[in-house]
Amino acid sequence: MVKYIIKRLLLLIPVLLGVATIVFLIMRVFLTDPSQTILGKSASDEQRLEWRQKQGLEEPLHKQYFIFLQDFVKGNLGKSYATNASVVTEIFSRFPATIELAISGIVLALIFGVSLGIISAIKRNSIFDSLGMTIALVGVSVPIFWLGVLFIIVFSNSFIPSVGRIDVLLKPTNITGFYLLDSLLCGKLDSFFDALKHLILPSCALAMYSMAVIARMTRSSMLETLSQDYVRTARAKGLPEKKVIFFHALRNALIPIVTVVGLQFGSLLAGAVLTESIFSWPGIGKYTVECIQNSDIPVVQGMVLILATIFVFVNLAVDIIYAFLDPRIKFSKRGC
Amino acid sequence: MSETKTLNEKIVVNSRYNKIWQSFKSSKTALISLFIVLAFFAVSIFGSFFLPYDPNLTEQNISNPQRPSETHWFGTDEQGRDIFSRVVDGTKVSILVGVMSVAFSLFFGTILGAISGYYGGKVDIIIMRIMDIMFAIPSILLSVCLMMVLGTGIDKAIVAIGLVAIPQYARIVRGNVLAEKENDYVKAAKIIGSSDIVIIFKNILPNILSSIIVKSTLGISTAILDVAALGFLGLGVKPPQSEWGTMLSESRKFVTQAPHTMIFPGAAISITVLVFNLLGDKLRDALDPKFFN
């Protein structure tokens, strides 16, 4: 197992270098002069040249590429054009907000997705099944940003807030950056509930798509395991139906679901780009959109690199969990 | 002799497509989704000729969006442009980008996947590693980067969305080619001296067409979502061209004040994506090889 993990970790190196190369190609080679957007049209040619020299854009390309890779390996992703602060600090200071949102999203998606999938599978071809699968179909079809907008319209006059992360007055002391955790650590229950209230709409909007994907996957996976011989044996043994479903069928049906959940967590982080800006959630997504609008290229490219790195590691974790859950993977050489 | 052979072949092919069509036809939902998809194509081609207003016509004395009324069915935006006309006009962009970007990724994905699966070895490793790398970057962010570099426009959106989706098609084609190439008919074709290109494109590809068709149909819906997302981020088409995502982004400041400016374009995106998803699902059901057993 350790050998497998080490091998997989080593394989990540070329992938990550490849990601860096693609980002470099897009952002440095194909991009026309960014100084125009940053300095404005009124800037003189000399000012522009000076700015370009300062940013290291006047060096020959191969040298730029080398420096870029060197910095990437060291974890230095450059400085924001707008604030001149380090991209890594800028991004990581906003990261807890996004992680908090993404985790709530995946938890919601998992709870509702798996339940919906199980109900649809057990009550196959019933009204519950068609209802569940219609919800899932709508879930994969409605754009996340429009769903957010609908939530804001519907809940605009209710007690559920649709803007921001917490009431300014209730902000807990910054310990971990996760407001839910911080407010509990400080013992401020009112902050905790306020933060929770602010989480409702954005996390529901974010969860919708993943929930739908998980529901569909759970349904088909459950249907497959329910038709297996061992399920029939369990039933023949006279086990109660609940036990058959939850202990025999679901346990095996969960294996492909784990993969989907892992992949969904990656896409949730990317989906945050769209969700956050709608709910003014102060995470990396909202920040990315602002940087896209201001052509702050180092930040956007840094974001791509960081998210791709996370995505790759999440996938690795999923594969490892998968191997743990499914003993057949390790013993597949015996042939069955 | 040869005539009987072609006749037999024709019968086999016909009966196969017949079976698929029969299975597809037996589902009402499948027929309805096919009908609506065709209707969307019709609207995207002919819709512009039947608009009640010029989609870009602004009204001078208006500073706030107008509510839906008899004259403006979906209301107007803050510049007085008719939202109904803009939604209908926007169909063109979404369908065009959806279809063309899938065609783009399908073309390159099929070639790369087929080469990778058929030849195997080093070529396979190199191509698939590059695909893995592209897969590692969240697709919406990669499209965003490409759009930042390329600038706005329909053609650029097609390239940005299509390019990012290539690995998905390459993977599916590769997997299918790998499975198919072990079959006797491929070996037979090799023995009679067919060239690799003929074997790949004339012998193998028709056999894996079903999974490609399903993937492409579902791909169109993803592409329509992507172009709307790009538009929403302000990276879509060139203004004043009406595009659903861009319309949503332009009306954001009126979300509570004039919700209709956001409801109609968003509903248009959702319905379009939904019917393409539905059609894809039903096609998959109909083309499912398990059906033939």
Side-chain angles (χ1 to χ4, degrees), chain B:
Chain B
M1 182 68 190
S2 70
E3 261 177 34
T4 357
K5 197 183 143 206
T6 40
L7 201 64
N8 275 342
E9 262 175 13
K10 257 187 193 161
I11 291 170
V12 171
V13 170
N14 277 344
S15 79
R16 193 173 158 202
Y17 285 121
N18 256 337
K19 259 186 181 173
I20 294 170
W21 174 239
Q22 291 297 336
S23 143
F24 185 82
K25 214 169 62 171
S26 64
S27 157
K28 258 189 205 150
T29 334
L31 283 181
I32 294 172
S33 61
L34 179 67
F35 177 75
I36 303 178
V37 163
L38 291 178
F40 268 112
F41 276 107
V43 170
S44 68
I45 298 167
F46 305 112
S48 316
F49 301 118
F50 300 101
L51 296 177
Y53 296 91
D54 174 356
N56 299 326
L57 182 73
T58 56
E59 273 179 52
Q60 296 297 332
N61 47 2
I62 277 180
S63 58
N64 274 322
Q66 286 179 314
R67 292 194 174 281
S69 62
E70 265 174 39
T71 41
H72 294 284
W73 299 337
F74 290 178
T76 71
D77 63 8
E78 82 281 9
Q79 296 180 40
R81 294 179 294 191
D82 182 48
I83 293 181
F84 177 75
S85 306
R86 286 183 75 72
V87 168
V88 173
D89 192 48
T91 318
K92 201 166 54 191
V93 177
S94 290
I95 299 282
L96 187 70
V97 176
V99 172
M100 291 309 289
S101 65
V102 167
F104 185 92
S105 23
L106 193 60
F107 179 75
F108 292 103
T110 307
I111 293 178
L112 288 172
I115 292 175
S116 207
Y118 187 77
Y119 291 106
K122 273 185 192 154
V123 188
D124 180 29
I125 292 174
I126 293 172
I127 293 179
M128 289 331 278
R129 279 300 90 80
I130 295 173
M131 297 293 118
D132 282 349
I133 291 165
M134 284 175 73
F135 244 130
I137 306 174
S139 59
I140 183 76
L141 279 179
L142 192 55
S143 307
V144 162
C145 289
L146 285 169
M147 287 305 278
M148 281 179 85
V149 175
L150 297 170
T152 51
I154 295 180
D155 46 342
K156 285 147 189 167
I158 291 172
V159 174
I161 295 168
L163 202 68
V164 169
I166 289 176
Q168 301 174 20
Y169 294 85
R171 272 196 182 178
I172 287 186
V173 172
R174 174 181 177 269
N176 279 301
V177 169
L178 265 182
E180 276 306 308
K181 78 171 179 185
E182 300 304 325
N183 283 334
D184 287 342
Y185 74 87
V186 176
K187 286 176 192 153
K190 266 187 197 161
I191 292 168
I192 60 167
S194 301
S195 71
D196 289 348
I197 294 181
V198 171
I199 295 177
I200 293 176
F201 289 99
K202 230 180 138 195
N203 299 106
I204 299 182
L205 270 190
N207 281 305
I208 62 173
L209 210 56
S210 56
S211 42
I212 295 179
I213 291 173
V214 172
K215 173 70 202 162
S216 309
T217 317
L218 296 172
I220 292 178
S221 64
T222 321
I224 293 175
L225 273 181
D226 284 349
V227 71
L230 287 178
F232 188 71
L233 293 173
L235 294 167
V237 296
K238 279 199 184 81
Q241 169 64 49
S242 36
E243 190 275 321
W244 298 336
T246 319
M247 289 171 76
L248 285 178
S249 143
E250 285 167 354
S251 311
R252 272 184 67 186
K253 40 187 185 293
F254 301 105
V255 58
T256 44
Q257 201 184 330
H260 68 271
T261 50
M262 302 200 76
I263 287 176
F264 293 112
I269 304 170
S270 308
I271 295 170
T272 321
V273 175
L274 194 125
V275 287
F276 274 101
N277 274 334
L278 203 57
L279 183 66
D281 283 353
K282 292 296 162 189
L283 275 176
R284 177 161 47 201
D285 292 347
L287 293 167
D288 192 348
K290 281 179 202 155
F291 175 77
F292 297 108
N293 297 333

Side-chain angles (χ1 to χ4, degrees), chain A residues 21 30 32 34 44 66 70 72 78 111 113 124 184 189 191 219 260-261 271-272:
Chain A
T21 310
F30 298 131
T32 43
S44 68
F66 192 66
Q70 221 173 14
F72 175 60
I111 295 172
R124 194 182 181 185
L184 282 182
L189 271 185
S191 303
R219 179 178 181 271
V260 177
V261 173

